[in-house]
Amino acid sequence: MGSALRFGLVGGANTLVTGVLLSLLSLLIAPGIAYTIVFALGVAFSTFFAGRFVYRVTMARSQVVQYVALYLAVYVVGLVALAFAVDQGMSPAYSGLVVLVTAPLTFLGGLVIVRRAEPRRVVQQQEGMMS
């Protein structure tokens, strides 16, 4: 199974669960607070599975920091999108649709972060074989 398929499985599960959870929590608490809670859970889930399962690499600390920073930036974008949608009259029950904005951003950003380090890792592995 390729990394793209694994990314789709992990990302799809994360998107589905966080979207549904966000919609449900938004019926009980303010959508912005619900979004913050759900997004934090999604970041933890995604960071854990991105390296280990999706790309089958151990992410370096710098990659984990970049990954979390990416998610924080996407969080702000999502919060703005959510506030805009609510201001336009969207029902809190549909707040989970914000993942239509955030999911593509996290997919592309995560791919860049993990893939950018791969050539260095391959070079290090090749150097290790030659010694």
Coordinates of all heavy atoms in Angstrom, one line a residue, residues 21-118:
L21 N -17.3 15.3 15.0 CA -17.1 15.7 16.3 C -17.3 17.2 16.5 O -18.0 17.7 17.4 CB -15.8 15.3 16.9 CG -15.5 15.5 18.4 CD1 -16.6 14.8 19.2 CD2 -14.1 15.0 18.7
L22 N -16.8 18.0 15.5 CA -16.9 19.4 15.5 C -18.4 19.8 15.4 O -18.9 20.7 16.1 CB -16.1 20.1 14.4 CG -16.3 21.6 14.2 CD1 -15.9 22.3 15.4 CD2 -15.4 22.0 13.0
S23 N -19.1 19.2 14.5 CA -20.5 19.5 14.3 C -21.3 19.2 15.5 O -22.2 20.0 16.0 CB -21.1 18.7 13.1 OG -20.6 19.2 11.9
L24 N -21.0 18.1 16.2 CA -21.8 17.7 17.4 C -21.4 18.7 18.6 O -22.3 19.1 19.3 CB -21.5 16.3 17.8 CG -22.0 15.2 16.9 CD1 -21.5 13.8 17.3 CD2 -23.5 15.3 16.8
L25 N -20.1 18.9 18.8 CA -19.7 19.8 19.9 C -20.2 21.2 19.6 O -20.5 21.9 20.6 CB -18.2 19.9 20.0 CG -17.5 18.8 20.8 CD1 -16.0 18.9 20.7 CD2 -18.0 18.7 22.2
S26 N -20.3 21.7 18.4 CA -20.8 23.0 18.1 C -22.3 23.2 18.5 O -22.7 24.3 18.6 CB -20.6 23.3 16.6 OG -19.3 23.4 16.3
L27 N -23.0 22.1 18.7 CA -24.4 22.2 19.1 C -24.4 22.4 20.6 O -25.4 22.9 21.2 CB -25.2 20.9 18.8 CG -25.3 20.7 17.3 CD1 -26.0 19.3 17.0 CD2 -26.2 21.8 16.6
L28 N -23.3 22.1 21.3 CA -23.3 22.2 22.8 C -22.5 23.4 23.3 O -22.8 24.0 24.3 CB -22.6 20.9 23.4 CG -23.3 19.6 23.0 CD1 -22.5 18.4 23.5 CD2 -24.7 19.6 23.6
I29 N -21.4 23.8 22.5 CA -20.6 24.9 22.9 C -20.3 25.8 21.7 O -20.7 25.4 20.6 CB -19.2 24.4 23.6 CG1 -18.4 23.5 22.6 CG2 -19.5 23.6 24.9 CD1 -17.1 23.1 23.1
A30 N -19.7 26.9 22.0 CA -19.5 27.9 20.9 C -18.6 27.2 19.8 O -17.7 26.5 20.1 CB -18.7 29.1 21.4
P31 N -19.0 27.4 18.5 CA -18.2 26.7 17.4 C -16.7 27.0 17.5 O -15.9 26.1 17.2 CB -18.9 27.3 16.2 CG -20.2 27.7 16.6 CD -20.1 28.1 18.0
G32 N -16.3 28.2 17.9 CA -14.8 28.4 17.9 C -14.1 27.6 19.0 O -13.0 27.1 18.7
I33 N -14.8 27.4 20.1 CA -14.2 26.6 21.2 C -14.2 25.1 20.7 O -13.2 24.4 20.9 CB -14.9 26.8 22.5 CG1 -14.8 28.2 23.0 CG2 -14.5 25.8 23.6 CD1 -15.6 28.6 24.1
A34 N -15.3 24.7 20.1 CA -15.4 23.3 19.7 C -14.3 23.0 18.6 O -13.6 22.0 18.7 CB -16.8 23.0 19.1
Y35 N -14.1 24.0 17.7 CA -13.1 23.8 16.7 C -11.7 23.7 17.3 O -10.9 22.9 16.9 CB -13.2 25.0 15.7 CG -12.1 25.0 14.7 CD1 -12.2 24.1 13.6 CD2 -11.1 25.9 14.7 CE1 -11.2 24.1 12.6 CE2 -10.1 25.9 13.7 CZ -10.2 25.0 12.7 OH -9.2 25.0 11.7
T36 N -11.4 24.5 18.3 CA -10.1 24.5 19.0 C -9.9 23.1 19.6 O -8.8 22.5 19.4 CB -10.0 25.6 20.0 OG1 -10.2 26.8 19.4 CG2 -8.7 25.5 20.8
I37 N -10.9 22.6 20.3 CA -10.7 21.3 21.0 C -10.5 20.2 19.9 O -9.6 19.4 20.0 CB -12.0 21.0 21.8 CG1 -12.0 21.9 23.0 CG2 -12.0 19.5 22.3 CD1 -13.4 21.9 23.7
V38 N -11.4 20.2 18.9 CA -11.3 19.1 17.9 C -10.0 19.2 17.1 O -9.4 18.2 16.8 CB -12.5 19.2 17.0 CG1 -12.4 18.3 15.8 CG2 -13.8 18.8 17.8
F39 N -9.6 20.4 16.8 CA -8.4 20.6 16.0 C -7.1 20.1 16.8 O -6.3 19.4 16.2 CB -8.2 22.1 15.6 CG -7.3 22.2 14.4 CD1 -7.8 22.2 13.1 CD2 -5.9 22.4 14.6 CE1 -7.0 22.3 12.0 CE2 -5.1 22.5 13.5 CZ -5.7 22.5 12.2
A40 N -7.1 20.4 18.1 CA -6.0 19.9 18.9 C -5.9 18.4 18.9 O -4.8 17.8 18.7 CB -6.1 20.4 20.3
L41 N -7.1 17.7 19.0 CA -7.1 16.3 18.9 C -6.6 15.8 17.5 O -5.9 14.8 17.4 CB -8.5 15.7 19.2 CG -9.0 16.0 20.6 CD1 -10.5 15.6 20.7 CD2 -8.2 15.2 21.6
G42 N -7.1 16.5 16.5 CA -6.7 16.1 15.1 C -5.2 16.2 14.9 O -4.6 15.4 14.2
V43 N -4.6 17.3 15.5 CA -3.1 17.5 15.3 C -2.4 16.3 16.0 O -1.4 15.8 15.4 CB -2.7 18.8 15.9 CG1 -1.2 18.9 16.0 CG2 -3.2 20.0 15.1
A44 N -2.8 16.0 17.2 CA -2.1 14.9 17.9 C -2.2 13.6 17.1 O -1.2 12.9 16.9 CB -2.7 14.7 19.3
F45 N -3.4 13.3 16.6 CA -3.6 12.1 15.8 C -2.8 12.1 14.5 O -2.1 11.1 14.2 CB -5.1 12.0 15.5 CG -5.5 10.8 14.6 CD1 -5.8 9.6 15.2 CD2 -5.6 11.0 13.2 CE1 -6.2 8.5 14.4 CE2 -6.0 9.9 12.4 CZ -6.3 8.7 13.0
S46 N -2.9 13.2 13.8 CA -2.2 13.3 12.5 C -0.6 13.2 12.7 O 0.1 12.6 11.9 CB -2.6 14.5 11.8 OG -2.0 14.6 10.6
T47 N -0.1 13.9 13.7 CA 1.3 13.9 13.9 C 1.8 12.5 14.2 O 2.9 12.1 13.7 CB 1.7 14.9 15.0 OG1 1.2 16.2 14.7 CG2 3.2 15.0 15.3
F48 N 1.1 11.8 15.0 CA 1.5 10.5 15.4 C 1.5 9.6 14.2 O 2.5 8.8 14.0 CB 0.5 9.9 16.5 CG 0.9 8.5 16.9 CD1 1.9 8.3 17.8 CD2 0.2 7.4 16.4 CE1 2.2 7.0 18.1 CE2 0.5 6.1 16.7 CZ 1.5 5.9 17.6
F49 N 0.5 9.6 13.4 CA 0.3 8.7 12.3 C 1.1 9.1 11.0 O 1.4 8.2 10.2 CB -1.1 8.4 11.9 CG -1.8 7.4 12.9 CD1 -2.6 7.9 13.9 CD2 -1.5 6.1 12.8 CE1 -3.2 7.0 14.8 CE2 -2.1 5.2 13.7 CZ -2.9 5.7 14.7
A50 N 1.4 10.4 10.8 CA 2.0 10.8 9.6 C 3.4 10.1 9.3 O 3.6 9.5 8.3 CB 2.2 12.3 9.6
G51 N 4.2 10.1 10.3 CA 5.5 9.5 10.1 C 5.5 8.0 10.2 O 6.0 7.3 9.3
R52 N 4.9 7.5 11.2 CA 4.9 6.1 11.5 C 4.1 5.2 10.5 O 4.6 4.2 10.0 CB 4.3 5.8 12.9 CG 5.3 6.2 14.0 CD 4.6 5.9 15.4 NE 5.6 6.2 16.4 CZ 5.7 7.3 17.0 NH1 5.0 8.3 16.7 NH2 6.6 7.5 18.0
F53 N 2.9 5.6 10.2 CA 2.1 4.8 9.3 C 2.1 5.3 7.9 O 2.3 4.5 6.9 CB 0.6 4.8 9.8 CG -0.3 4.0 9.0 CD1 -0.2 2.6 8.9 CD2 -1.3 4.7 8.2 CE1 -1.1 1.9 8.1 CE2 -2.1 3.9 7.4 CZ -2.1 2.6 7.4
V54 N 1.9 6.6 7.7 CA 1.7 7.1 6.3 C 3.0 7.0 5.5 O 3.1 6.5 4.4 CB 1.2 8.6 6.3 CG1 1.2 9.2 4.9 CG2 -0.2 8.6 6.9
Y55 N 4.1 7.6 6.1 CA 5.4 7.7 5.3 C 6.4 6.6 5.8 O 7.4 6.5 5.2 CB 6.0 9.1 5.4 CG 5.0 10.1 4.9 CD1 4.4 11.0 5.7 CD2 4.8 10.2 3.5 CE1 3.5 11.9 5.2 CE2 3.9 11.2 3.0 CZ 3.3 12.0 3.9 OH 2.4 13.0 3.4
R56 N 6.0 5.9 6.8 CA 6.9 4.8 7.3 C 8.3 5.3 7.6 O 9.3 4.7 7.2 CB 6.9 3.7 6.4 CG 5.5 3.1 6.2 CD 5.4 1.7 6.2 NE 4.0 1.3 6.2 CZ 3.6 0.2 5.7 NH1 4.4 -0.6 5.1 NH2 2.3 -0.1 5.8
V57 N 8.4 6.5 8.2 CA 9.6 7.1 8.6 C 9.5 7.6 10.1 O 8.4 7.8 10.5 CB 10.1 8.3 7.7 CG1 10.3 7.8 6.3 CG2 9.1 9.4 7.8
T58 N 10.6 7.7 10.7 CA 10.6 8.4 12.0 C 10.9 9.8 11.7 O 11.9 10.2 11.3 CB 11.6 7.8 13.0 OG1 11.3 6.4 13.1 CG2 11.6 8.4 14.3
M59 N 9.9 10.7 12.0 CA 10.1 12.1 11.8 C 11.1 12.7 12.7 O 11.1 12.4 13.9 CB 8.8 12.9 11.8 CG 7.9 12.6 10.7 SD 6.6 13.8 10.4 CE 5.7 13.9 12.0
A60 N 12.0 13.5 12.2 CA 13.0 14.2 13.1 C 12.2 15.2 13.9 O 11.1 15.6 13.5 CB 14.0 14.8 12.2
R61 N 12.8 15.6 15.0 CA 12.2 16.6 15.8 C 11.8 17.9 15.0 O 10.8 18.5 15.2 CB 13.1 17.0 17.0 CG 12.7 16.4 18.2 CD 13.5 16.9 19.4 NE 13.9 15.7 20.1 CZ 14.9 15.5 20.8 NH1 15.7 16.5 21.1 NH2 15.2 14.4 21.4
S62 N 12.7 18.3 14.1 CA 12.5 19.5 13.3 C 11.2 19.3 12.4 O 10.5 20.2 12.2 CB 13.7 19.8 12.5 OG 14.0 18.8 11.5
Q63 N 11.0 18.1 11.9 CA 9.9 17.8 11.1 C 8.6 17.9 12.0 O 7.6 18.4 11.5 CB 10.0 16.4 10.5 CG 10.9 16.4 9.3 CD 11.1 15.0 8.8 OE1 11.5 14.1 9.5 NE2 10.7 14.8 7.5
V64 N 8.7 17.3 13.2 CA 7.5 17.4 14.1 C 7.1 18.8 14.4 O 6.0 19.2 14.4 CB 7.8 16.5 15.4 CG1 6.6 16.7 16.4 CG2 7.9 15.1 15.0
V65 N 8.2 19.6 14.7 CA 7.9 21.0 15.0 C 7.3 21.7 13.7 O 6.3 22.5 13.9 CB 9.2 21.7 15.4 CG1 9.1 23.2 15.4 CG2 9.7 21.2 16.8
Q66 N 7.8 21.4 12.6 CA 7.3 22.0 11.3 C 5.8 21.6 11.1 O 5.0 22.3 10.7 CB 8.1 21.6 10.1 CG 9.5 22.3 10.1 CD 10.3 21.7 9.0 OE1 9.8 21.2 8.0 NE2 11.6 21.7 9.1
Y67 N 5.6 20.3 11.4 CA 4.2 19.7 11.2 C 3.2 20.4 12.1 O 2.1 20.8 11.7 CB 4.3 18.2 11.5 CG 3.3 17.4 10.8 CD1 3.3 17.1 9.4 CD2 2.2 16.9 11.5 CE1 2.3 16.4 8.8 CE2 1.2 16.2 10.9 CZ 1.3 15.9 9.5 OH 0.3 15.2 8.9
V68 N 3.6 20.5 13.4 CA 2.7 21.2 14.3 C 2.5 22.7 14.0 O 1.4 23.2 14.1 CB 3.3 21.0 15.8 CG1 2.5 21.9 16.8 CG2 3.2 19.5 16.2
A69 N 3.6 23.3 13.5 CA 3.5 24.7 13.1 C 2.6 24.9 11.9 O 1.8 25.8 11.8 CB 4.9 25.3 12.8
L70 N 2.7 23.9 11.0 CA 1.7 23.9 9.8 C 0.3 23.8 10.3 O -0.6 24.6 9.9 CB 2.1 22.7 8.9 CG 1.0 22.3 7.9 CD1 0.9 23.4 6.8 CD2 1.2 20.9 7.4
Y71 N 0.1 22.9 11.2 CA -1.3 22.7 11.8 C -1.8 24.0 12.5 O -3.0 24.3 12.5 CB -1.4 21.5 12.7 CG -1.8 20.3 11.8 CD1 -0.8 19.6 11.1 CD2 -3.1 19.8 11.8 CE1 -1.2 18.5 10.3 CE2 -3.5 18.7 11.1 CZ -2.5 18.1 10.3 OH -2.9 17.0 9.6
L72 N -0.9 24.7 13.2 CA -1.3 25.9 13.9 C -1.7 27.0 12.9 O -2.7 27.7 13.1 CB -0.2 26.4 14.8 CG 0.1 25.5 16.0 CD1 1.3 26.1 16.8 CD2 -1.2 25.5 16.9
A73 N -0.9 27.1 11.8 CA -1.3 28.0 10.7 C -2.6 27.6 10.1 O -3.5 28.5 9.9 CB -0.2 28.1 9.7
V74 N -2.8 26.4 9.8 CA -4.1 25.9 9.2 C -5.2 26.1 10.2 O -6.3 26.4 9.8 CB -4.0 24.4 8.8 CG1 -5.3 23.9 8.4 CG2 -3.0 24.3 7.6
Y75 N -4.9 26.0 11.5 CA -6.0 26.2 12.5 C -6.5 27.7 12.4 O -7.7 27.9 12.4 CB -5.3 26.0 13.9 CG -6.2 26.6 15.0 CD1 -7.3 25.9 15.5 CD2 -5.8 27.8 15.6 CE1 -8.1 26.5 16.5 CE2 -6.6 28.3 16.7 CZ -7.7 27.7 17.1 OH -8.4 28.2 18.1
V76 N -5.6 28.6 12.3 CA -6.0 30.0 12.2 C -6.8 30.2 10.9 O -7.9 30.9 10.9 CB -4.8 30.9 12.2 CG1 -5.1 32.4 11.8 CG2 -4.0 30.9 13.5
V77 N -6.4 29.6 9.8 CA -7.2 29.7 8.5 C -8.6 29.1 8.7 O -9.6 29.7 8.4 CB -6.4 29.0 7.4 CG1 -7.3 28.9 6.2 CG2 -5.2 29.7 7.0
G78 N -8.6 28.0 9.4 CA -9.9 27.3 9.6 C -10.8 28.1 10.6 O -12.0 28.2 10.4
L79 N -10.2 28.7 11.6 CA -11.0 29.5 12.5 C -11.6 30.7 11.8 O -12.7 31.1 12.0 CB -10.1 30.0 13.7 CG -10.8 30.4 15.0 CD1 -11.7 29.4 15.5 CD2 -9.7 30.8 16.0
V80 N -10.8 31.4 10.9 CA -11.3 32.5 10.2 C -12.4 32.0 9.2 O -13.5 32.7 9.1 CB -10.2 33.2 9.4 CG1 -10.7 34.2 8.4 CG2 -9.2 33.8 10.3
A81 N -12.3 30.9 8.6 CA -13.3 30.4 7.7 C -14.6 30.0 8.4 O -15.7 30.3 8.0 CB -12.8 29.1 6.9
L82 N -14.4 29.5 9.6 CA -15.5 29.1 10.5 C -16.3 30.4 10.9 O -17.5 30.4 10.8 CB -15.1 28.3 11.7 CG -16.2 27.8 12.6 CD1 -17.2 27.0 11.9 CD2 -15.6 27.1 13.8
A83 N -15.5 31.4 11.4 CA -16.2 32.6 11.8 C -16.9 33.3 10.7 O -18.0 33.8 10.8 CB -15.1 33.6 12.4
F84 N -16.3 33.3 9.5 CA -17.0 33.9 8.3 C -18.3 33.1 8.0 O -19.3 33.7 7.8 CB -16.0 33.8 7.1 CG -16.6 34.3 5.9 CD1 -16.8 35.7 5.6 CD2 -17.1 33.4 4.9 CE1 -17.4 36.1 4.5 CE2 -17.7 33.9 3.7 CZ -17.8 35.3 3.5
A85 N -18.2 31.8 8.0 CA -19.4 31.0 7.7 C -20.5 31.2 8.7 O -21.7 31.4 8.3 CB -19.0 29.5 7.6
V86 N -20.2 31.3 10.0 CA -21.2 31.5 11.0 C -21.7 32.9 10.9 O -23.0 33.1 11.0 CB -20.6 31.3 12.4 CG1 -21.5 31.8 13.5 CG2 -20.2 29.8 12.6
D87 N -20.9 33.9 10.6 CA -21.4 35.3 10.3 C -22.3 35.3 9.1 O -23.2 36.2 9.1 CB -20.2 36.2 10.1 CG -19.5 36.6 11.4 OD1 -20.0 36.3 12.5 OD2 -18.4 37.1 11.3
Q88 N -22.1 34.5 8.2 CA -23.0 34.4 7.0 C -24.3 33.6 7.2 O -25.1 33.5 6.4 CB -22.2 33.8 5.8 CG -21.0 34.6 5.4 CD -21.4 36.1 5.0 OE1 -22.3 36.2 4.2 NE2 -20.8 37.0 5.5
G89 N -24.4 33.1 8.5 CA -25.7 32.5 8.8 C -25.6 30.9 8.8 O -26.7 30.3 8.9
M90 N -24.5 30.4 8.6 CA -24.4 28.9 8.6 C -24.8 28.3 10.0 O -24.4 28.9 11.0 CB -23.0 28.4 8.3 CG -22.8 26.9 8.2 SD -21.1 26.4 7.9 CE -20.4 26.6 9.5
S91 N -25.5 27.3 10.0 CA -25.9 26.6 11.3 C -24.7 26.0 11.9 O -23.9 25.4 11.2 CB -27.0 25.6 11.0 OG -27.2 24.7 12.1
P92 N -24.6 26.0 13.2 CA -23.5 25.3 13.9 C -23.4 23.8 13.5 O -22.4 23.2 13.6 CB -23.8 25.5 15.4 CG -24.5 26.8 15.4 CD -25.4 26.8 14.2
A93 N -24.6 23.2 13.2 CA -24.6 21.8 12.8 C -23.7 21.5 11.6 O -23.3 20.4 11.4 CB -26.0 21.4 12.6
Y94 N -23.5 22.5 10.8 CA -22.7 22.4 9.6 C -21.2 22.8 9.7 O -20.5 22.9 8.7 CB -23.3 23.1 8.4 CG -24.7 22.5 8.0 CD1 -25.8 23.2 8.3 CD2 -24.8 21.2 7.4 CE1 -27.1 22.7 7.9 CE2 -26.0 20.7 7.1 CZ -27.2 21.5 7.4 OH -28.4 20.9 7.1
S95 N -20.8 23.1 10.9 CA -19.5 23.7 11.1 C -18.4 22.7 10.8 O -17.3 23.1 10.5 CB -19.3 24.2 12.6 OG -19.5 23.1 13.5
G96 N -18.7 21.4 10.7 CA -17.7 20.4 10.4 C -17.3 20.6 8.9 O -16.2 20.0 8.5
L97 N -18.0 21.3 8.1 CA -17.6 21.5 6.7 C -16.3 22.4 6.6 O -15.8 22.4 5.5 CB -18.8 22.2 6.0 CG -20.0 21.3 5.8 CD1 -21.1 22.2 5.1 CD2 -19.7 20.1 5.0
V98 N -15.9 23.0 7.7 CA -14.6 23.7 7.6 C -13.5 22.8 7.2 O -12.5 23.3 6.7 CB -14.3 24.4 9.0 CG1 -13.9 23.5 10.0 CG2 -13.3 25.6 8.8
V99 N -13.6 21.5 7.4 CA -12.6 20.6 6.9 C -12.4 20.7 5.4 O -11.3 20.3 4.9 CB -12.8 19.2 7.4 CG1 -12.8 19.1 8.9 CG2 -14.0 18.6 6.8
L100 N -13.3 21.1 4.7 CA -13.2 21.3 3.2 C -12.1 22.3 2.9 O -11.5 22.3 1.8 CB -14.5 21.6 2.6 CG -15.6 20.6 2.7 CD1 -16.9 21.1 2.1 CD2 -15.2 19.3 2.0
V101 N -11.9 23.2 3.8 CA -10.8 24.3 3.7 C -9.5 23.8 4.3 O -8.5 23.9 3.7 CB -11.3 25.6 4.4 CG1 -10.1 26.6 4.4 CG2 -12.5 26.1 3.8
T102 N -9.6 23.2 5.5 CA -8.4 22.8 6.2 C -7.7 21.5 5.7 O -6.5 21.4 5.7 CB -8.6 22.7 7.7 OG1 -9.6 21.7 7.9 CG2 -9.1 24.0 8.3
A103 N -8.5 20.5 5.3 CA -7.9 19.2 4.9 C -6.9 19.4 3.7 O -5.8 18.8 3.8 CB -9.0 18.2 4.6
P104 N -7.3 20.1 2.6 CA -6.3 20.2 1.5 C -5.0 20.9 2.0 O -3.9 20.5 1.5 CB -7.0 21.0 0.5 CG -8.5 20.9 0.8 CD -8.5 20.7 2.3
L105 N -5.1 21.9 2.8 CA -3.9 22.6 3.3 C -3.0 21.7 4.1 O -1.8 21.7 3.9 CB -4.3 23.8 4.1 CG -5.1 24.9 3.4 CD1 -5.6 26.0 4.4 CD2 -4.3 25.5 2.3
T106 N -3.6 20.9 5.0 CA -2.8 20.0 5.8 C -2.2 18.9 5.0 O -1.0 18.5 5.2 CB -3.5 19.4 7.0 OG1 -4.7 18.8 6.6 CG2 -3.9 20.5 8.0
F107 N -2.9 18.4 4.0 CA -2.4 17.4 3.1 C -1.2 17.8 2.4 O -0.1 17.2 2.4 CB -3.5 16.9 2.1 CG -2.9 16.0 1.1 CD1 -2.7 14.7 1.3 CD2 -2.6 16.5 -0.2 CE1 -2.2 13.8 0.4 CE2 -2.1 15.7 -1.2 CZ -1.9 14.3 -0.9
L108 N -1.3 19.0 1.7 CA -0.2 19.5 0.9 C 1.0 19.9 1.8 O 2.2 19.6 1.5 CB -0.7 20.6 0.1 CG -1.7 20.3 -1.0 CD1 -2.2 21.5 -1.7 CD2 -1.1 19.3 -2.0
G109 N 0.7 20.6 2.9 CA 1.8 21.0 3.8 C 2.6 19.8 4.4 O 3.8 19.8 4.5
G110 N 1.8 18.8 4.9 CA 2.4 17.6 5.5 C 3.3 16.9 4.4 O 4.4 16.4 4.8
L111 N 2.8 16.8 3.2 CA 3.5 16.1 2.2 C 4.9 16.9 1.9 O 5.9 16.2 1.8 CB 2.7 16.1 0.9 CG 3.2 15.3 -0.3 CD1 3.3 13.8 0.1 CD2 2.3 15.4 -1.4
V112 N 4.8 18.2 1.9 CA 6.1 18.9 1.7 C 7.1 18.7 2.8 O 8.2 18.5 2.6 CB 5.7 20.4 1.5 CG1 7.0 21.3 1.6 CG2 5.0 20.7 0.2
I113 N 6.6 18.8 4.0 CA 7.5 18.6 5.2 C 8.1 17.3 5.2 O 9.3 17.2 5.4 CB 6.7 18.9 6.5 CG1 6.3 20.4 6.6 CG2 7.5 18.4 7.7 CD1 5.3 20.7 7.7
V114 N 7.4 16.2 5.1 CA 8.0 14.9 5.2 C 8.8 14.6 3.9 O 9.9 14.0 4.1 CB 6.9 13.8 5.4 CG1 7.4 12.4 5.3 CG2 6.2 14.1 6.7
R115 N 8.4 14.9 2.8 CA 9.1 14.6 1.6 C 10.4 15.4 1.4 O 11.3 15.0 0.8 CB 8.2 14.8 0.3 CG 7.0 13.9 0.2 CD 7.5 12.5 -0.2 NE 6.4 11.6 0.0 CZ 6.0 10.8 -1.0 NH1 6.5 10.9 -2.2 NH2 5.0 10.0 -0.8
R116 N 10.4 16.7 1.9 CA 11.5 17.5 1.8 C 12.8 16.9 2.5 O 13.9 17.1 2.0 CB 11.2 18.9 2.4 CG 12.4 19.9 2.2 CD 12.0 21.2 2.7 NE 11.1 21.2 3.8 CZ 10.4 22.3 4.2 NH1 10.5 23.4 3.6 NH2 9.6 22.2 5.2
A117 N 12.6 16.2 3.5 CA 13.7 15.6 4.3 C 14.1 14.2 3.7 O 15.2 13.8 4.0 CB 13.3 15.3 5.7
E118 N 13.3 13.6 2.8 CA 13.7 12.3 2.3 C 15.0 12.3 1.5 O 15.8 11.3 1.7 CB 12.5 11.8 1.4 CG 11.4 11.3 2.2 CD 10.3 10.6 1.4 OE1 10.5 10.5 0.2 OE2 9.3 10.3 2.0

